[in-house]
């Protein structure tokens, strides 16, 4: 899932907290930047992958909180 911040943050890497809902033991989250080229969020957003314990993709609901400063105009 791709999440884009509107407007993008001025700070290059906002702090990000992601919580998966109703995940099973062993499920894991992988957070990449908005264009999926590097680990972690960037000022424009993030891409989230959720995998089960054996590495298969999982569809799940999630919540996130992003904290940064400024907004690109």
């Amino acid at each position: 899932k791709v999440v884009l911040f509107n407007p993008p943050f001025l700070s290059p890497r906002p702090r990000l907290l992601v919580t998966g809902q109703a995940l099973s033991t062993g499920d894991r989250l992988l957070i990449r930047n908005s264009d999926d080229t590097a680990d972690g969020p960037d000022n424009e957003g993030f891409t989230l992958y959720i995998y089960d314990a054996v590495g298969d993709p999982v569809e799940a609901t999630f919540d996130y909180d992003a904290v940064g400063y400024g907004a690109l105009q």
Side-chain angles (χ1 to χ4, degrees):
K1 305 253 187 240
V2 176
V3 175
L4 297 176
F5 305 135
N6 186 16
F9 287 105
L10 186 60
S11 57
R13 289 194 84 156
R15 289 187 327 226
L16 182 67
L17 171 66
V18 178
T19 305
Q21 303 297 317
L23 297 179
S24 299
T25 300
D27 289 356
R28 60 189 175 86
L29 307 176
L30 173 63
I31 299 169
R32 305 273 294 164
N33 65 355
S34 60
D35 59 2
D36 197 21
T37 59
D39 289 338
D42 59 28
N43 69 316
E44 294 182 2
F46 64 96
T47 304
L48 177 68
Y49 298 96
I50 304 174
Y51 298 102
D52 64 15
V54 295
D56 293 328
V58 173
E59 285 291 323
T61 302
F62 63 93
D63 299 312
Y64 73 91
D65 186 29
V67 178
Y69 65 87
L72 288 178
Q73 300 295 327

